[in-house]
Amino acid sequence: MIELDGLSKTFRRTRVIDKLRLKIEPGERVALIGANGAGKTTLIRCLLGEYVAEGKVRVFGLDPRARRSDVLRRIGFVPQLPPPLKMTVSDLVGFACGVSAAQTGHVRAVAGELGLDLSEISGRPFVKLSGGQKQKLLIAIALGRDTSLLILDEPAANLDPVARQKFFRLLGERRHDTMIMSSHRVDEVAALVSRVIEMDRGAISFDQHLADDRLNSAMMRVRVEMSLAEPAFAAALAQWGFSNNAGGRVWSGEVAGPDRLRFLCLLSHYSGSIFSTSLDEAESMETPHAAASLDV
């Protein structure tokens, strides 16, 4: 589906993506996380063929720069910042559906689910819509078309709480789609993804597949042994309610299933200070005991 080999991108002598290697298989649902400036949006733009970059980029086996129209036809994309399009809402929906032979009725239905009535704004220029209206429309266009890949860059940023809930429900209904979702809220997308990739200064600092759905729903017992004392890490674990032994090197506690991804990301930031860590599914009368050891 997606293959990157040695991908690098430089802006004004600043290396934003640095020799990135990555494969995403069909059906994988990836949460792409990282601080501002980590390279997430630049990576997305390379997948869409917007940038000339060093290295190999393949989407559906095609070079997205050389075969951009063929690639974009199969992608549903929601940008982080809405483009300043002057065309009307009606024209935009018609154009988006036309390039992929989609039905405008499907886009209208998704927009309606998000609380946006397209008949009321069809003649208005896209650029004149409110931030929330723009975001709902772009999401409706992405989800209302028959695509093979969803790429969503902070898609819920401008949505009201009700629309956010409906948006995540719509994504949950498309379980078999391949998806890349950039987000600052790992806990928010935890139930939707099968893999978490964290970027830091243009490189991948954390890549975890989530193979067992039980680990996303059950309470987990966690044990972390530090290779060296790290006050900031200890303080972070204490905030999670963890307790430590007399030496302060071994910490233990429990993490709720929905918070598992957020906790794993915390561990990734202090991977150099960790000697070992383990997660054990809490025993119950209904669920057999299960354990998972993680390399971070």
Side-chain angles (χ1 to χ4, degrees):
M1 173 66 75
I2 293 174
E3 183 179 0
L4 309 177
D5 189 0
L7 175 64
S8 297
K9 179 61 181 175
T10 301
F11 292 106
R12 297 179 181 177
R13 299 183 181 179
T14 299
R15 183 62 63 93
V16 181
I17 300 290
D18 189 18
K19 299 178 181 178
L20 201 63
R21 299 187 65 185
L22 176 67
K23 284 187 178 181
I24 296 176
E25 302 294 342
E28 285 195 301
R29 301 166 67 83
V30 177
L32 183 64
I33 64 174
N36 289 333
K40 305 188 301 297
T41 296
T42 300
L43 170 58
I44 287 173
R45 298 292 178 176
C46 290
L47 295 178
L48 297 172
E50 293 188 19
Y51 293 151
V52 175
E54 302 173 36
K56 176 183 177 181
V57 182
R58 293 292 182 270
V59 181
F60 313 123
L62 304 174
D63 181 339
R65 186 70 182 175
R67 302 280 299 276
R68 195 171 182 210
S69 294
D70 295 328
V71 170
L72 293 183
R73 189 176 294 116
R74 301 172 61 184
I75 294 177
F77 173 55
V78 179
Q80 182 177 17
L81 298 175
L85 300 175
K86 296 182 179 180
M87 65 174 64
T88 66
V89 170
S90 178
D91 289 342
L92 176 58
V93 172
F95 171 78
C97 292
V99 297
S100 59
Q103 299 293 323
T104 58
H106 293 166
V107 174
R108 293 180 180 275
V110 175
E113 289 275 352
L114 297 171
L116 183 65
D117 187 348
L118 295 191
S119 63
E120 295 181 354
I121 60 172
S122 62
R124 295 178 60 185
F126 177 81
V127 72
K128 296 293 185 180
L129 301 180
S130 70
Q133 288 174 325
K134 291 176 182 176
Q135 200 72 357
K136 290 176 183 178
L137 178 55
L138 293 174
I139 290 172
I141 290 173
L143 299 186
R145 298 165 55 226
D146 185 14
T147 57
S148 304
L149 172 64
L150 291 174
I151 299 180
L152 314 171
D153 194 358
E154 297 287 348
N158 290 317
L159 297 181
D160 57 82
V162 174
R164 289 167 75 90
Q165 183 178 9
K166 292 183 177 179
F167 168 57
F168 289 124
R169 179 179 59 79
L170 288 170
L171 284 183
E173 293 173 354
R174 300 180 61 146
R175 280 289 178 183
H176 300 294
D177 287 358
T178 306
M179 181 181 76
I180 300 174
M181 181 189 295
S182 171
S183 178
H184 286 97
R185 295 283 305 277
V186 184
D187 55 322
E188 196 170 55
V189 300
L192 299 171
V193 301
S194 59
R195 183 178 179 184
V196 179
I197 296 175
E198 182 174 18
M199 294 188 65
D200 182 28
R201 287 180 280 186
I204 293 175
S205 59
F206 178 80
D207 187 353
Q208 174 71 35
H209 287 81
L210 308 175
D212 192 340
D213 289 339
R214 292 178 305 175
L215 299 183
N216 285 329
S217 58
M219 182 70 73
M220 306 299 297
R221 290 199 194 92
V222 182
R223 181 183 183 276
V224 179
E225 183 176 354
M226 296 182 183
S227 56
L228 52 89
E230 172 58 65
F233 188 23
L237 290 173
Q239 289 180 348
W240 280 77
F242 278 44
S243 59
N244 67 308
N245 63 6
R249 300 277 288 271
V250 178
W251 290 75
S252 59
E254 292 190 342
V255 175
D259 288 331
R260 178 174 178 261
L261 296 186
R262 190 157 57 94
F263 183 76
L264 289 177
C265 290
L266 168 68
L267 295 185
S268 74
H269 286 295
Y270 296 98
S271 59
S273 302
I274 296 175
F275 177 74
S276 67
T277 183
S278 63
L279 279 75
D280 298 302
E281 185 177 338
E283 295 184 42
S284 69
M285 295 184 65
E286 297 179 354
T287 306
H289 182 68
S293 295
L294 298 174
D295 297 321
V296 296

